[in-house]
Amino acid sequence: MDAAKEEFLKEFGRDYGYSGAPKTIDEIRATEFKRLEGVAYLDHAAATLYSELQMEAILKDLTANIYGNPHSQSDSSFATSDIVRNARQQVLDYFKASPKDYKCIFTSGATAALKLVGEAFPWSHQSSFVYTMENHNSVIGIREYALEQGAQAYAIDIEDTERDAFTGNIASVQVTKHQLLRRNEAKSLAKDHTGSAYNLFAFPSECNFSGLKFSLELVKTVKEDSIRYSDGSPSSNGHWKVLIDAAKGCATEPPDLSKYPADFVVISFYKLFGYPTGLGALIVHTDAAKLLKKTYFSGGTVAASIADIDFVKQREGIEELFEDGTIPFLSIASLCHGFKILNSLTIPAISRHTSSLATYLRNVLAALRHENGTRVCTLYGSCSSKTLCNKMGPIVSFNLRRPDGSWVGHREVEKLASLYSIQLRTGCFCNPGACAKYLDLSHLDLVTNIEAGHICWDDNDIINGKPSGAVRVSLGYMSTYEDVKQKFIDFVTSSFVSTPTHSRDLQFCGRSIPFTETGFESRYSAFGVDLKSITVYPIKSCAGFSTDRWPLSSRGLLYDREWLLQSLTGETLTQKKVPEMCLIHTYIDLSQGILFINSPRCKEGLQIILNSNYSNGKREEISLRGQIYQVQGYDKEVDTWFSAAIGRSCTLLRHLSSSHCVNLDERDSVGTCRESRTCLNFSNEAQFLLISEESVSDLNNRLNSTDVGKDVRRTSVQVNPMRFRPNLVISGGRPYAEDEWINIKIGNKFFRSLGGCNRCQMINFATDAEQVLKTNEPLATLASYRRVKQGKILFGILLRYECEAEEGNSNNSWLQVGESIIPDSKQL
């Protein structure tokens, strides 16, 4: 055991590891989560993991018993009804809810449970829907039902509490009210009386953004109408009902409904024990259930109905009334096996275990400093007894800063983490209020971000110098010290903390990516550099072919990426989502005018005549990267061939024409694209990608080098230039000299450098015996020394053909292997 773990156990050993349970944490990981070997799964707030023991028990149960539709009267149906009845009781027991006072309604998840409440709640013009800023979108969405029925809605922030001096109980809670929302005011009905109106207050037991836990004392405070507004505005009259979103919090601290009698509690079971997905529950107080107005009826919810007249008699049981159709009884049958796992460990022990890891992680991240003394990490969420938020759950939410104080994009962190087999989540986590609150984003900031094109799950992580989201690490009952320290903390330290020995490799700033190597001249000499190979990729993301000589066009190499594959839903297919595309081999015979295509999945090859109306004549427009292309499809035989080759239905499209001329920002330094106006086929950024053999050789040396800090060899992986899908490979010169090039001349052809090529996970795909394998290399190694400030990992350069500057006749220009390369750092 290393010294760091000994120190951790010295501080947290009493809470970490389930010492009194049937299995310790190390035994649990070794026997029930073998699939996590080498992986740090840190996204339990999104979905925790099922144990292998749990799934074995479920399989044994389902294969040994017969469970029929519970709406029948057979023995198998009765068996199912017993299972469902027991499952409901287990859920109520989990929340210490009396079956006399509460009912368990199964839904497809917490979101469906929230939607049910919103649809059926007795809204009126006098009603209010009030919710804390820290709420999931699925909770905030309830306001649409409230507003549509004429009710008012607004968010609040809890500011302070006042307690009774003698009892210690809360006397009142002071809150700040955000903008009051109301629509359809004309819907006010004469029968709406203020005293008879029903209001709904919603809050999470644990914020899924920050991990902040809300005190369940809020339930009684709201019901007793003890909310006080800082602006002096009066509280809403009527009867208050309270909803707790326990989807996140119930995994470590389920609300105790015997002490805090909320009216509605929503959960999703995959958040508790990983399986089943698509199943949740609404735990509803019987008094609150009587207020809900159900309109739709279905099979299972009615006692009788007549098809041709307006007659229906609904069932009286609360569960039966709200569970439309046949419930997912096989999923419900699996719940007992999940609860068995939790009960064997006990919820208090799970809470202590996960809390110890989260506290340790927060402490370490808070203490990290760059070499200049600046903080590395900004943490979100803090405890305060005054605001009824006095505990932290097993979530650590944060953003990272560079030594100069600028932010590291959360998507950059996520992408790099995946290279180290670390699974986490970034963004706003569907919690816009908490995101805006903790990131200090004003309404103007949010609107500006949206107008700039920012949406959920995109790569716009830094906008106008501010982060648009955060990094979230969330822990589960099977998380370990090794996940947190040896995987995640070490990853953050090695990748983002500037130290005297690592600051150069981190590449936080600079005009270009520096490289020094004994034996090379300090200033680049172009002598001996020539064109080693030419590769054409006729179909986007499919394999290309190499040639000694090839013609140029205004769009780059003739026929390069002139075709693409599109799914039946209109999605452009690439290796990122369909790695098998790399197994499709192409070759063009110019003398015959034929594109030859082969795949190991197809017995016969395919031939496309280049200059013939081989297609079915159907022309259409498609949008790709915001540009409109005129394309032409092919007949069913061609589409069937490609569908078989990649294992999914698709169509082949050929580019006919477009106005696609890429406008790239002007810049003063190498490493990002220069200003250009480049006509493209279906390539992503530029007409050409150039790779240097010497740069690849240096990368291979690094792949095989010894990690000095850990005294271990990095990897035995070796890559060749074709792994990067280049059009042009050059030989000679020093590694990474191409980073400094502005213009180059190949033979008598002129090209302009558009800067470095940002690499993605596609370069980690390798083929072996006609199988596509995905590894972490070479991108992980490139990330360690080729990452620039914007988070891009650059390798190779992008080029544009300057046909107007060509010497001699430019109408019949060809590139040829062996031609000399002459770079120029001056503008043409």
Side-chain angles (χ1 to χ4, degrees):
M1 183 184 299
D2 61 28
K5 187 169 186 179
E6 287 183 353
E7 192 67 24
F8 167 80
L9 292 176
K10 183 178 179 180
E11 183 175 359
F12 298 103
R14 294 182 61 182
D15 296 326
Y16 174 81
Y18 312 112
S19 58
K23 292 181 180 179
T24 65
I25 183 60
D26 293 334
E27 291 171 333
I28 291 172
R29 283 292 288 263
T31 59
E32 300 184 32
F33 295 92
K34 295 186 287 290
R35 65 190 186 278
L36 286 179
E37 180 76 28
V39 176
Y41 184 83
L42 302 173
D43 194 18
H44 296 272
T48 197
L49 301 177
Y50 52 81
S51 85
E52 291 150 27
L53 182 64
Q54 173 189 352
M55 299 308 293
E56 290 170 5
I58 292 171
L59 179 61
K60 182 178 180 180
D61 184 358
L62 297 183
T63 54
N65 296 289
I66 301 174
Y67 297 121
N69 191 314
H71 293 164
S72 300
Q73 299 296 312
S74 64
D75 289 344
S76 60
S77 299
F78 290 143
T80 299
S81 296
D82 289 340
I83 286 290
V84 172
R85 189 180 304 109
N86 292 336
R88 293 191 204 278
Q89 188 58 51
Q90 277 189 301
V91 174
L92 294 178
D93 289 344
Y94 190 70
F95 292 93
K96 297 182 181 179
S98 166
K100 294 182 179 180
D101 299 326
Y102 287 92
K103 301 300 178 185
C104 171
I105 300 170
F106 286 117
T107 66
S108 64
T111 295
L114 291 164
K115 185 171 182 283
L116 190 159
V117 174
E119 287 178 336
F121 195 81
W123 303 110
S124 72
H125 184 71
Q126 303 296 332
S127 297
S128 296
F129 175 49
V130 183
Y131 52 94
T132 57
M133 277 291 284
E134 296 94 332
N135 257 306
H136 195 278
N137 268 327
S138 296
V139 175
I140 300 174
I142 291 176
R143 77 181 181 199
E144 293 302 301
Y145 292 107
L147 295 174
E148 189 62 25
Q149 295 300 317
Q152 66 180 10
Y154 54 89
I156 64 164
D157 281 311
I158 298 173
E159 301 294 347
D160 201 355
T161 59
E162 181 180 336
R163 293 186 178 272
D164 187 281
F166 297 100
T167 66
N169 296 329
I170 294 177
S172 65
V173 175
Q174 183 169 312
V175 304
T176 298
K177 180 191 294 186
H178 288 259
Q179 180 180 347
L180 190 146
L181 307 174
R182 186 188 286 278
R183 71 172 79 121
N184 298 333
E185 293 192 44
K187 284 192 173 184
S188 177
L189 302 177
K191 66 178 182 180
D192 286 346
H193 300 291
T194 301
S196 62
Y198 288 95
N199 309 305
L200 183 63
F201 183 91
F203 71 98
S205 58
E206 180 183 330
C207 174
N208 75 314
F209 185 99
S210 66
L212 205 63
K213 289 187 176 183
F214 284 78
S215 171
L216 298 181
E217 290 182 85
L218 267 174
V219 175
K220 292 182 179 179
T221 302
V222 172
K223 284 180 170 291
E224 294 171 358
D225 198 19
S226 297
I227 298 290
R228 300 291 177 262
Y229 296 98
S230 57
D231 62 359
S233 60
S235 176
S236 299
N237 294 317
H239 307 285
W240 281 98
K241 298 299 176 183
V242 179
L243 182 153
I244 300 176
D245 176 10
K248 171 60 189 76
C250 69
T252 55
E253 190 176 351
D256 184 343
L257 296 180
S258 67
K259 292 183 178 179
Y260 309 103
D263 299 284
F264 309 99
V265 178
V266 300
I267 60 170
S268 288
F269 292 105
Y270 72 94
K271 304 266 190 180
L272 285 173
F273 31 70
Y275 184 89
T277 57
L279 182 64
L282 170 64
I283 297 92
V284 56
H285 196 282
T286 52
D287 290 341
K290 295 174 184 177
L291 301 174
L292 300 181
K293 302 173 182 179
K294 180 76 182 299
T295 302
Y296 174 77
F297 69 88
S298 65
T301 67
V302 294
S305 68
I306 299 177
D308 58 347
I309 65 173
D310 185 10
F311 176 83
V312 60
K313 180 178 175 59
Q314 295 184 329
R315 292 188 180 273
E316 296 181 358
I318 293 173
E319 302 96 330
E320 296 172 324
L321 179 61
F322 288 98
E323 291 173 348
D324 292 321
T326 300
I327 56 178
F329 55 88
L330 294 182
S331 292
I332 293 172
S334 70
L335 294 180
C336 62
H337 303 290
F339 279 116
K340 184 177 180 180
I341 296 289
L342 300 186
N343 292 336
S344 68
L345 297 173
T346 76
I347 294 302
I350 291 173
S351 180
R352 292 194 300 270
H353 172 78
T354 54
S355 178
S356 68
L357 290 172
T359 302
Y360 171 70
L361 177 56
R362 287 190 197 98
N363 292 344
V364 173
L365 291 178
L368 288 179
R369 297 290 187 275
H370 290 295
E371 62 175 325
N372 63 2
T374 59
R375 289 184 178 271
V376 174
C377 185
T378 296
L379 291 161
Y380 301 119
S382 60
C383 300
S384 172
S385 59
K386 289 185 177 181
T387 60
L388 289 180
C389 304
N390 50 12
K391 292 182 181 179
M392 297 296 294
I395 283 178
V396 182
S397 183
F398 61 93
N399 271 310
L400 300 175
R401 289 182 182 269
R402 297 185 172 88
D404 63 2
S406 62
W407 296 100
V408 177
H410 56 80
R411 286 288 290 136
E412 177 182 346
V413 177
E414 184 176 20
K415 289 177 181 178
L416 286 176
S418 68
L419 297 177
Y420 290 81
S421 299
I422 299 171
Q423 312 298 316
L424 45 76
R425 187 169 175 183
T426 65
C428 277
F429 326 121
C430 298
N431 196 323
C435 188
K437 178 178 179 178
Y438 289 113
L439 302 183
D440 193 27
L441 298 174
S442 66
H443 287 164
L444 179 60
D445 291 329
L446 297 173
V447 171
T448 301
N449 291 353
I450 294 170
E451 290 177 346
H454 173 53
I455 59 173
C456 297
W457 306 338
D458 66 14
D459 286 345
N460 295 322
D461 50 12
I462 303 293
I463 303 177
N464 296 325
K466 284 187 174 183
S468 62
V471 181
R472 185 183 72 185
V473 169
S474 52
L475 303 156
Y477 76 81
M478 75 296 296
S479 297
T480 65
Y481 165 84
E482 287 72 22
D483 292 334
V484 173
K485 173 60 174 70
Q486 296 179 3
K487 273 287 189 178
F488 185 72
I489 292 175
D490 287 357
F491 155 70
V492 171
T493 302
S494 63
S495 300
F496 299 101
V497 179
S498 173
T499 66
T501 56
H502 292 96
S503 59
R504 182 181 66 86
D505 286 343
L506 288 172
Q507 297 306 323
F508 287 117
C509 57
R511 178 177 182 273
S512 63
I513 298 173
F515 176 83
T516 57
E517 180 71 29
T518 303
F520 287 102
E521 296 179 2
S522 60
R523 294 185 61 83
Y524 173 69
S525 172
F527 294 110
V529 180
D530 55 32
L531 185 59
K532 185 68 177 291
S533 71
I534 302 168
T535 305
V536 182
Y537 304 90
I539 305 175
K540 182 179 178 66
S541 240
C542 293
F545 65 94
S546 295
T547 179
D548 292 336
R549 189 169 180 267
W550 199 257
L552 292 167
S553 75
S554 61
R555 296 174 185 166
L557 293 172
L558 187 63
Y559 301 123
D560 186 56
R561 287 161 288 194
E562 193 163 308
W563 290 263
L564 61 72
L565 295 178
Q566 188 180 74
S567 72
L568 298 187
T569 60
E571 177 186 14
T572 299
L573 301 179
T574 68
Q575 285 187 35
K576 291 180 181 179
K577 293 188 176 180
V578 191
E580 295 79 9
M581 290 179 69
C582 70
L583 300 177
I584 297 177
H585 299 279
T586 59
Y587 174 72
I588 291 178
D589 188 320
L590 291 176
S591 62
Q592 297 184 61
I594 296 176
L595 167 60
F596 296 91
I597 311 165
N598 291 281
S599 168
R601 295 184 173 182
C602 301
K603 293 182 179 179
E604 297 182 358
L606 188 66
Q607 296 182 12
I608 302 290
I609 300 176
L610 300 179
N611 299 317
S612 172
N613 189 23
Y614 184 80
S615 63
N616 59 18
K618 181 182 178 181
R619 299 190 178 194
E620 59 180 301
E621 289 186 346
I622 66 169
S623 177
L624 182 63
R625 299 182 302 277
Q627 302 295 327
I628 302 299
Y629 289 81
Q630 294 284 338
V631 298
Q632 189 163 15
Y634 287 80
D635 60 26
K636 185 176 180 180
E637 178 184 356
V638 173
D639 293 340
T640 300
W641 189 95
F642 278 102
S643 297
I646 66 172
R648 66 174 67 186
S649 298
C650 66
T651 59
L652 179 70
L653 299 176
R654 184 178 186 179
H655 178 202
L656 298 178
S657 65
S658 76
S659 59
H660 187 183
C661 293
V662 178
N663 287 293
L664 301 172
D665 294 333
E666 185 174 5
R667 49 85 163 152
D668 297 322
S669 63
V670 178
T672 57
C673 291
R674 294 190 183 92
E675 177 190 17
S676 69
R677 187 165 178 81
T678 306
C679 293
L680 304 177
N681 279 326
F682 293 130
S683 55
N684 286 341
E685 296 182 88
Q687 296 173 342
F688 301 88
L689 169 62
L690 180 146
I691 293 291
S692 161
E693 280 191 334
E694 278 60 41
S695 299
V696 174
S697 177
D698 175 73
L699 169 60
N700 282 324
N701 288 336
R702 293 172 185 266
L703 286 168
N704 278 312
S705 68
T706 299
D707 189 323
V708 177
K710 297 182 179 180
D711 196 27
V712 295
R713 189 164 295 281
R714 289 178 181 269
T715 174
S716 60
V717 173
Q718 288 284 283
V719 297
N720 63 45
M722 302 315 296
R723 176 72 78 91
F724 301 94
R725 294 178 61 82
N727 296 110
L728 310 176
V729 177
I730 62 171
S731 178
R734 65 174 174 84
Y736 313 110
E738 63 272 16
D739 292 336
E740 303 292 342
W741 296 350
I742 296 176
N743 303 298
I744 68 170
K745 182 179 179 183
I746 306 177
N748 65 342
K749 279 76 63 181
F750 288 88
F751 299 82
R752 180 169 179 170
S753 170
L754 304 178
C757 179
N758 184 26
R759 310 313 311 205
C760 67
Q761 298 252 10
M762 271 183 62
I763 65 174
N764 287 341
F765 292 133
T767 57
D768 181 24
E770 297 181 349
Q771 295 293 319
V772 181
L773 306 176
K774 183 180 179 181
T775 67
N776 290 336
E777 295 292 357
L779 194 57
T781 295
L782 285 174
S784 69
Y785 75 105
R786 296 286 299 176
R787 180 163 53 95
V788 295
K789 185 172 182 178
Q790 297 83 2
K792 295 180 178 180
I793 302 169
L794 304 181
F795 193 77
I797 60 171
L798 302 170
L799 299 178
R800 181 186 69 198
Y801 176 38
E802 301 283 87
C803 54
E804 71 278 3
E806 185 174 325
E807 299 173 352
N809 183 11
S810 62
N811 295 325
N812 189 25
S813 296
W814 291 63
L815 279 178
Q816 184 163 328
V817 169
E819 288 185 310
S820 61
I821 307 291
I822 302 176
D824 186 0
S825 60
K826 299 178 180 179
Q827 299 291 330
L828 285 172

